[in-house]
Amino acid sequence: MKSQSESYKAAGVDIVAGYQAVELMKEHIAKTMTSGVMSAIGGFGGLFELDMTGINKPVLVSGTDGVGTKLKMAFLMDKHDTVGIDCVAMCVNDVLCVGAKPLFFLDYIAVGKNYPERIAAMVSGIAEGCVQSGAALIGGETAEMPGFYPEDEYDMAGFTVGIVDKDKVLDNSTMGEGDVIIGIPSSGVHSNGFSLVRKVFDVENRDMKAPVAELGGKSLGETLLTPTKIYIKPMLAVFDEITVKGVSHITGGGFYENIPRSIPKGLGAKIDRSAVRVLPIFDLIAKEGNVPERDMFNTFNMGVGMTAIVAKEDVEKTIAILKANGEDAYVIGEIVASEEGVTIC
């Protein structure tokens, strides 16, 4: 391609670097291609043909999100190939909560300066997230914005579109007292609460690469950059066999804000605190930051990245399906008559 502009480059935007970044990312994008993709990267729109096999009343479900201030950890560690997984996870896990399977994903990356190799590393993470969730990466945008972002910083966001049969949209109208709440483990802090995390650990003035005994010898930086877990494939396997009454993605706001979103009025969630398998990173945050337990459960996932509510008679089979799909799920509570939302005791 002969397109170039020395004047634009002098102003801080290198369109040639943009072309180089696209070329470098193509190999990663290729890994995400599914049968519905009809267009190549570089066009003005991403085309996707819907496969309606087994779907009587198709409903499209969309979700959008970003990575938040977790990106500051990527800057500090100079590691950019995992935050893309977080970006995808935050979107696809949300649409999963209504029973949808993600079809495709588009990203938006804004940078202070376009470093093609770094852009390619970022997109490699996005592509990995798409592979994990079965979604195709059918487009995106990289915007070089000198004077708006520092040269070594960037922001990343994206959105997904999924599909579910109208008759299979998760319905909590049959939820009642005695239904059981199953917790599905998180991989770590995921992508929420990092403003508090950064304050607690004073990350800009700390050796983030030093091993930490409480974290099994892993560094704080490595632990905090652990990508958000993507729950699509294990949960879709559950949906195939179990009538799930409610699913919550435990993101910002922790247990107290997210679990009630899947519960109808008049009912609440009673969580057995002793059952929750809290990850070491959360114990360290609470200890170093002197953060009250109530605030911890109202900010972080505490080791539970997703919850599923099922009838008591379906608990054993649900857990068995999840374990067969690599998730060591376990019971963390039950549904009770309550107007208080979540009670942890």
Side-chain angles (χ1 to χ4, degrees), residues 271-327:
I271 304 296
D272 180 359
R273 171 63 182 84
S274 65
V276 178
R277 301 171 188 170
V278 177
L279 295 174
I281 184 61
F282 297 112
D283 290 330
L284 192 60
I285 292 169
K287 177 184 175 183
E288 289 209 14
N290 194 27
V291 182
E293 185 168 86
R294 175 64 167 74
D295 289 356
M296 291 294 296
F297 275 92
N298 209 158
T299 307
F300 303 107
N301 66 62
M302 300 301 285
V304 178
M306 182 162 280
T307 60
I309 299 169
V310 300
K312 189 174 294 186
E313 59 268 24
D314 290 328
V315 171
E316 187 175 334
K317 186 174 182 180
T318 301
I319 290 177
I321 294 170
L322 287 167
K323 289 190 174 182
N325 284 273
E327 296 297 341

Side-chain angles (χ1 to χ4, degrees), residues 4 23 33 41 71-72 107 120 126 155 175 179 187 189 205 220-221 226 233 255 269 311 345:
Q4 63 181 24
E23 287 303 312
M33 294 297 98
I41 294 298
L71 291 176
K72 288 282 189 179
D107 66 86
I126 294 171
D155 198 7
M175 194 180 297
D179 285 339
S187 56
V189 182
N205 299 300
L220 190 56
T226 301
K233 293 175 181 178
F255 281 47
C345 54

